[in-house]
Amino acid sequence: ITVSDLVDASYKRIAAVEDKVKAFLTLDEEGARHTAKALDEQSGSSARGLLFGLPVGIKDNIVTEGLTTTCASQFLRNFNPVYDATVVTKLKKAQSVTIGKLNMDEFAMGGSNENSSFHPTYNPWNQEYVPGGSSGGSAAAVAAGEVFFSLGSDTGGSIRQPASYCGIVGLKPTYGLVSRFGLVAFASSLDQIGPLTKNVEDSAYLLQAIAGHDPMDSTSLNTDIPDYVSALTGDVKGLRVAVPKEYFGQGIDPKVKDAVLTALKVLEAQGAIVEEVSLPHSEYAVATYYLLASSEASSNLARFDGVRYGVRAENPKNLLDVYLKSRSEGFGDEVKRRIMLGTYALSSGYYDAYYLKAQKVRTLIKRDFDQVFEQYDVIIGPTVPTTAFKIGSQANDPLTMYLNDILTIPVNLAGVPAISVPCGFADGLPIGLQIIGKPLDESTVLRVAHAYE
Ligand code: GLN
């Protein structure tokens, strides 16, 4: 089998299902075939990269040189980056083949892909349902078999929630493990890039390829990268598993609860020790997140002024009007909502009451995790309290939409790693199991996920 065969298979599958799934915003068939040919010609003559010849999709908020990067926003519909994100450079070094750019909620704000300004993406298991978000295109493309794996980004759940809804594996690494250079910033203290894959082994390989220190990202950790693949021993004997009682509270679908409890029994049967714990500040996580993430977003998105990137509004009256018109026309409703909320929370007179208070609560949430990890190896619960919801059913209800992330958000606030692995179905829709680990202990997270899988 040649690399060109693999790329062929990927585009054949896309031709067959993309009409129904709509996972992609841009396809780069010419570029992919060119890369495939080059790899086939060198094949045999030199050492192969870790991901040699494998077709990959990339979320459209990760910049790719010469390949449109829109963040699913009208503002950037014509934006052609002049450089590659560090993760893209690393994928090239690992010799995977980029098939195209994947749909998402505009600027990664949302949990259903309905906030894409181009088109929604459909859940491959049932096209009346959302694929989740914001990395909904990344999850759907893998679930539908259009690419072997993909990259997404996770600020409050955007890798794990769509992975859960689409029945695949999604990993949010420790904050700082994967470079954010070239990831269009949403909330810089929370954003992390990570793998969406069909199984845990692929996740370990993809993480191996993208992790590591990057001088171009000042928050990148300078730490040794372990061998994630050899960590997949299948052994969980004596492993200490904490199950937070808060993660089974109000709003949880009984079928999700049953599936997670069954998964815990499976781990117990393999020798793990499962005990109930408390993460007492969990109930404040969503409020804390929406203040902090929106504050950071309002600051990060100030760069979109109609001058420096993307689309400039036509016929402005003066310079101020360039900014006002470009931003009014370029941003969608959810992005505007967050910019307004964030600007308010950061403004003088309100900063102490909202932004600063939220920072303090973030510390309390992180301490909850620190305390549990003094005695346990991993924390396990559901990824999302429910399965995927119907397209349109939450579109006009931002608060309900925000609550989808109630179990994923605390992980970003604490900066720790977590994976979502499939653990069953309810009414034909997948359920995800979330395994949360200590900082930089991706090896254990992957090992547990692999043993369960
Ligand atoms: N759904 C959450 C939000 O809308 C998380 C998004 C993300 O992780 N990028 O902010």
Side-chain angles (χ1 to χ4, degrees):
I1 190 164
T2 66
V3 178
S4 297
D5 292 337
L6 294 177
V7 170
D8 251 0
S10 181
Y11 282 106
K12 275 214 183 93
R13 183 72 185 158
I14 289 169
V17 303
E18 177 63 6
D19 259 5
K20 290 187 208 120
V21 179
K22 293 253 185 214
F24 284 91
L25 289 175
T26 308
L27 287 166
D28 184 24
E29 185 158 356
E30 206 187 312
R33 291 199 185 277
H34 181 82
T35 309
K37 215 170 142 229
L39 289 175
D40 280 331
E41 275 160 15
Q42 73 125 77
S43 161
S45 62
S46 55
R48 290 180 170 190
L50 189 64
L51 307 175
F52 183 83
L54 300 176
V56 62
I58 297 176
K59 186 176 181 180
D60 211 24
N61 60 350
I62 297 172
V63 302
T64 41
E65 185 182 349
L67 192 58
T68 321
T69 301
T70 66
C71 295
S73 180
Q74 290 303 316
F75 216 126
L76 295 178
R77 63 177 182 265
N78 64 357
F79 177 55
N80 234 321
V82 293
Y83 67 98
D84 279 328
T86 297
V87 289
V88 174
T89 307
K90 283 181 176 265
L91 285 183
K92 284 185 177 167
K93 217 173 133 222
Q95 297 183 315
S96 63
V97 184
T98 300
I99 298 297
K101 302 296 294 288
L102 292 158
N103 200 15
M104 53 184 283
D105 289 295
E106 186 178 4
F107 286 105
M109 298 174 189
S112 69
N113 262 47
E114 292 165 295
N115 293 341
S116 167
S117 77
F118 296 102
H119 53 75
T121 292
Y122 301 91
N123 192 310
W125 294 91
N126 183 336
Q127 278 104 72
E128 285 175 26
Y129 288 77
V130 303
S134 63
S135 314
S138 300
V142 172
E146 296 178 296
V147 286
F148 280 46
F149 38 63
S150 65
L151 290 183
S153 68
D154 191 315
T155 305
S158 279
I159 290 174
R160 291 160 287 153
Q161 185 254 33
S164 172
Y165 284 1
C166 290
I168 62 164
V169 175
L171 172 68
K172 184 206 85 79
T174 305
Y175 183 78
L177 182 66
V178 177
S179 168
R180 291 183 298 110
F181 179 70
L183 169 67
V184 178
F186 161 14
S188 316
S189 78
L190 301 157
D191 299 340
Q192 262 298 280
I193 295 171
L196 291 107
T197 57
K198 291 216 152 172
N199 57 49
V200 176
E201 192 179 356
D202 287 358
S203 188
Y205 273 103
L206 192 45
L207 181 65
Q208 199 80 54
I210 61 172
H213 180 242
D214 179 10
M216 299 302 282
D217 171 1
S218 64
T219 60
S220 166
L221 297 170
N222 201 343
T223 171
D224 288 338
I225 303 302
D227 184 340
Y228 297 116
V229 180
S230 68
L232 308 178
T233 58
D235 182 14
V236 292
K237 219 165 275 144
L239 182 98
R240 296 185 57 81
V241 177
V243 181
K245 59 171 190 256
E246 291 82 2
Y247 284 29
F248 296 86
Q250 216 186 357
I252 188 155
D253 178 336
K255 288 177 183 160
V256 171
K257 183 174 175 180
D258 281 353
V260 171
L261 294 179
T262 306
L264 288 166
K265 292 247 159 58
V266 170
L267 287 169
E268 229 167 12
Q270 296 179 0
I273 300 153
V274 178
E275 286 171 7
E276 187 179 274
V277 298
S278 174
L279 295 168
H281 296 92
S282 298
E283 63 174 301
Y284 306 112
V286 172
T288 304
Y289 169 85
Y290 276 96
L291 280 170
L292 294 178
S294 303
S295 296
E296 293 185 30
S298 82
S299 164
N300 274 325
L301 270 58
R303 76 192 63 188
F304 300 105
D305 55 6
V307 176
R308 284 174 285 183
Y309 309 86
V311 177
R312 181 175 307 169
E314 279 172 30
N315 306 319
K317 291 199 285 284
N318 50 41
L319 181 62
L320 182 63
D321 207 35
V322 172
Y323 304 152
L324 294 176
K325 262 186 111 179
S326 301
R327 288 170 71 82
S328 319
E329 291 170 15
F331 291 138
D333 287 351
E334 184 61 29
V335 176
K336 286 176 183 161
R337 187 178 293 131
R338 308 251 181 141
I339 291 173
M340 286 189 278
L341 180 64
T343 307
Y344 180 81
L346 289 176
S347 58
S348 95
Y350 296 102
Y351 180 92
D352 289 358
Y354 294 109
Y355 181 76
L356 206 62
K357 190 62 135 290
Q359 289 286 34
K360 291 178 180 168
V361 180
R362 180 177 186 172
T363 302
L364 295 176
I365 290 168
K366 180 173 183 308
R367 279 189 200 152
D368 283 356
F369 281 94
D370 291 345
Q371 266 161 23
V372 170
F373 282 131
E374 278 172 17
Q375 289 178 51
Y376 295 89
D377 300 304
V378 287
I379 298 172
I380 298 187
T383 307
V384 198
T386 62
T387 52
F389 49 91
K390 273 208 167 134
I391 293 177
S393 65
Q394 298 185 7
N396 299 316
D397 186 0
L399 281 182
T400 305
M401 188 77 90
Y402 293 173
L403 286 172
N404 289 311
D405 292 318
I406 192 163
L407 305 178
T408 45
I409 278 173
V411 169
N412 300 76
L413 291 171
V416 295
I419 200 167
S420 179
V421 281
C423 72
F425 288 87
D427 308 316
L429 292 167
I431 301 170
L433 181 75
Q434 182 170 219
I435 303 165
I436 306 169
K438 298 176 187 173
L440 290 174
D441 196 13
E442 277 75 6
S443 296
T444 302
V445 170
L446 288 161
R447 172 163 62 92
V448 178
H450 174 73
Y452 167 71
E453 188 180 47

